[in-house]
């Protein structure tokens, strides 16, 4: 038994060490990951008595419930059971989405399957993936355990909080991996469904998080499931709380059973993914020309040719055609909904006048997520031609920008007009919203190019037929950057006594235009310099 475990651990650690070295070569990935961890930690820790922070983030979290442990232990225990169950489901959902979209299960690694048994190889790869996902899960859950302990004022509360956090994290990771691999193995038999697994995963994640965040009854329902037992572990050593010893023991036993069972399912699903002989229709998985007809692309390209030149128009045409063949790369326009939907709904309830601004901001972000967030990755196969052609670098960036701007600009403006009218905006507010939408979509494309060049995705199959999906950390960084660009509009239309006034709207338009223009130009310049730094073989110089 020791031999197989040692080999599995060796495979997982070696593969993970390679990933760590890759990330260390690109410290911007660590920066983006840190941003995600900070956002997750803020949501788990909740409000803190730190002056202005308490007003910026008033939602109660681990620290708040820790302060109430000695006074209202029964309420804290009830809430811990809800949050423990929600934590398992949330971690499991995120892990399942990662498993559904991971490239590690596309083909069996020859070096592993020829030197180890298949179960050992699968467990080694799975261990590497679990270690990678723990980079986010462990700090977030650890910050919650620390905040709860500080809130109680009793160091021994850390024992239950840490053990409970480990149990929640490990159960969610193992359960989510098995569910994700099981879904993927099932879809493998249906090539056309497998192509849209990214859409299925993101929509499922959106629905799940929207329900968990907006419906308290769901938390109460989950509190009636065995996953709620983890809540008793979380508060088992906290003062003033009478956790059930049976539930604590049951949670630890449940975690063991779920982990072992999930590992068995993962082995079966992994074997099916690696060695399934079901014939796959490569043409179906590549798709045809998508929703954009070739004649429409040609007509648009010829019109664009008159304004921006044939090289740039050619890149834009190629990008539009590749969009139709790239469901994976294009489904990430749904990411802002999955991440921000609960917060947007709550903000809309408190500030209904912000709904048009929020909708316009989302559509603007979606335009930038579509084609411009991985310009170097998309051009990787053609880099030798691009870097040795006069004006090639300029054309590829401009082509990607116009490929997003031509359909995106009118779409965003129309959305601004419709939502502004439906939101009963005054003529001044409607005009300001339309101007802001134009500034945001134009500047956002430049920011998207810059962030995509800063965090490129250069992995995956080398083909000119499809677009490369952007790096997850690039998407998170882009969302953060666009939230800053849209801040003046939020302030001008929704906050303060002057919100909606002519002065506030004018200031919002001017500030948004200046920030979007400045940062968009800087992003474009950075993307151009980054592309120039790449050698013809695709390596960064």
């Amino acid at each position: 038994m020791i031999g197989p475990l040692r080999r599995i651990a060796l495979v997982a650690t070696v593969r993970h060490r390679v990933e760590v070295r890759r990330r260390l070569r690109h410290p911007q990935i660590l920066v983006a990951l840190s941003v995600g961890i900070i956002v997750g930690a803020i949501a788990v820790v909740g409000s803190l008595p730190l002056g202005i922070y308490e007003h910026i983030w008033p939602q109660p979290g681990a620290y708040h419930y820790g302060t109430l442990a000695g006074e209202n232990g029964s309420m804290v225990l009830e809430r811990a059971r809800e949050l423990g169950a929600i934590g398992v489901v949330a971690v499991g959902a995120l892990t399942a989405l990662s498993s559904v979209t991971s490239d590690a299960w596309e083909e069996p690694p020859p070096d592993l399957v020829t030197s180890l048994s298949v179960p050992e190889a699968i467990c080694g790869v799975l261990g590497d993936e679990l270690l990678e996902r723990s980079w986010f899960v462990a700090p977030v859950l650890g910050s919650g355990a620390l905040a709860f302990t500080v809130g109680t004022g009793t160091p021994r509360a850390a024992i239950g909080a840490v053990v409970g956090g480990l149990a929640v994290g490990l159960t969610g990771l193992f359960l989510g991996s098995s569910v994700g691999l099981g879904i993927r193995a099932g879809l493998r038999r249906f090539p056309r469904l497998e192509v849209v697994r990214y859409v299925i995963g993101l929509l499922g994640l959106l629905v799940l998080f929207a329900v968990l965040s907006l419906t308290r009854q769901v938390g109460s329902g989950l509190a009636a499931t065995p996953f709620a037992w983890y809540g008793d572990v979380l508060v088992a050593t906290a003062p003033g709380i009478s956790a059930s010893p049976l539930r604590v023991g049951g949670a630890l036993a449940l975690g063991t059973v779920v982990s072992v069972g999930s590992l068995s399912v993962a082995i079966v699903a992994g074997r099916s993914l690696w060695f399934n002989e079901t014939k796959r229709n490569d043409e179906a998985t590549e798709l045809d020309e998508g929703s954009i007809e070739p004649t429409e692309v040609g007509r648009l390209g010829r019109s664009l040719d008159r304004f921006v030149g044939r090289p740039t128009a050619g890149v834009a045409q190629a990008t539009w055609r590749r969009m139709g063949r790239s469901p994976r790369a294009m489904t990430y326009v749904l990411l802002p909904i999955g991440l921000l939907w609960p917060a947007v709904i709550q903000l809309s309830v408190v500030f209904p006048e912000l709904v048009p601004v929020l909708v316009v901001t989302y559509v603007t972000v979606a335009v930038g997520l579509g084609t411009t967030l991985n310009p170097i990755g998309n051009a990787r196969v053609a880099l030798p031609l691009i870097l040795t052609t006069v004006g090639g670098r300029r054309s590829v960036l401009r082509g990607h920008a116009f490929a997003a701007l031509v359909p995106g600009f009118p779409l965003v403006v129309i959305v601004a007009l419709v939502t502004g009218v439906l939101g009963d905006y005054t003529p001044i507010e409607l005009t300001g919203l339309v101007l802001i939408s134009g500034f945001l979509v134009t500047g956002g494309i430049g920011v998207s190019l810059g962030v995509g060049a800063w965090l490129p995705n250069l992995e995956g199959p080398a083909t000119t037929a499809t677009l490369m999906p952007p790096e997850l950390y690039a998407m998170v960084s882009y969302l953060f950057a666009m939230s800053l660009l849209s801040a003046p509009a939020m302030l001008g239309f929704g906050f303060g006594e002057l919100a909606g006034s002519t002065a506030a709207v004018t200031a919002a338009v001017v500030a948004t235009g200046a920030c979007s223009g400045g940062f968009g130009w800087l992003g474009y310049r950075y993307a151009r310099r980054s592309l120039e730094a790449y050698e013809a073989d695709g390596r960064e110089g």
Side-chain angles (χ1 to χ4, degrees), residues 312-372:
T312 298
V315 173
Q317 283 183 277
T319 303
W320 287 330
R321 290 193 176 99
R322 294 168 75 185
M323 286 168 58
R325 306 187 188 105
S326 309
R328 176 180 181 180
M330 297 306 299
T331 54
Y332 287 103
V333 298
L334 301 173
L335 181 70
I337 298 181
L339 292 179
L340 305 176
W341 178 268
V344 168
I345 292 297
Q346 294 178 8
L347 192 62
S348 302
V349 171
V350 179
F351 300 100
E353 61 275 12
L354 278 181
V355 171
V357 180
L358 292 171
V359 173
V360 167
T361 301
Y362 166 70
V363 177
T364 300
V365 170
V367 170
L369 283 171
T371 64
T372 54

Side-chain angles (χ1 to χ4, degrees), residues 70-84:
E71 304 173 1
N72 196 348
S74 59
M75 185 276 290
V76 174
L77 178 59
E78 178 183 355
R79 189 61 178 149
R81 288 171 176 170
E82 294 179 6
L83 293 176

Side-chain angles (χ1 to χ4, degrees), residues 7 19 29 32 87 132 145 171 204 232 235 245 255 258 291 310 313 334 408 422 444-445 538:
R7 289 192 291 270
E19 176 64 20
I29 297 180
E132 184 176 347
T171 302
D232 289 73
V235 298
V258 168
S291 58
R310 181 170 296 177
L334 301 173
L422 294 178
I445 289 173

Side-chain angles (χ1 to χ4, degrees), residues 176-404:
S177 295
S178 64
V179 170
L181 291 177
I183 292 174
R184 186 164 176 177
L187 293 177
R188 189 69 176 265
R189 301 177 182 275
F190 308 97
R192 291 190 177 274
L193 285 180
E194 187 185 15
V195 168
V196 297
R197 68 179 187 267
Y198 311 99
V199 180
I200 296 172
L202 284 171
L203 288 178
L205 192 67
L206 161 64
V207 172
L208 176 65
F209 276 93
V211 170
L212 289 178
S213 302
L214 302 177
T215 309
R216 181 64 185 271
Q217 287 75 11
V218 172
S220 302
L222 289 175
T225 67
F227 289 145
W229 299 347
Y230 292 100
D232 289 73
V233 182
L234 289 168
V235 298
T237 57
I241 300 179
S242 300
S244 169
L246 290 177
R247 285 175 173 262
V248 172
L252 299 179
L254 176 64
T256 303
V257 172
V258 168
S259 298
V260 174
S262 298
L263 196 59
S264 302
V265 172
I267 291 174
V268 174
R271 187 191 296 270
S272 175
L273 288 170
W274 281 353
F275 303 108
N276 190 354
E277 296 182 357
T278 301
K279 182 178 179 181
R280 302 180 63 193
N281 187 348
D282 292 335
E283 293 181 358
T285 58
E286 290 286 338
L287 295 183
D288 299 323
E289 294 292 338
S291 58
I292 303 177
E293 295 295 331
T295 55
E296 296 175 357
V297 172
R299 194 178 301 116
L300 272 174
R302 287 192 296 271
S303 301
L304 191 61
D305 190 357
R306 302 189 186 101
F307 297 98
V308 299
R310 181 170 296 177
T312 298
V315 173
Q317 283 183 277
T319 303
W320 287 330
R321 290 193 176 99
R322 294 168 75 185
M323 286 168 58
R325 306 187 188 105
S326 309
R328 176 180 181 180
M330 297 306 299
T331 54
Y332 287 103
V333 298
L334 301 173
L335 181 70
I337 298 181
L339 292 179
L340 305 176
W341 178 268
V344 168
I345 292 297
Q346 294 178 8
L347 192 62
S348 302
V349 171
V350 179
F351 300 100
E353 61 275 12
L354 278 181
V355 171
V357 180
L358 292 171
V359 173
V360 167
T361 301
Y362 166 70
V363 177
T364 300
V365 170
V367 170
L369 283 171
T371 64
T372 54
L373 200 52
N374 192 28
I376 296 176
N378 290 334
R380 179 168 61 103
V381 177
L383 275 179
L385 178 62
I386 292 171
L387 299 180
T388 55
T389 302
V390 177
R393 298 177 179 89
R394 180 172 178 267
S395 297
V396 72
L397 292 178
R398 283 165 55 91
H400 276 84
F402 279 105

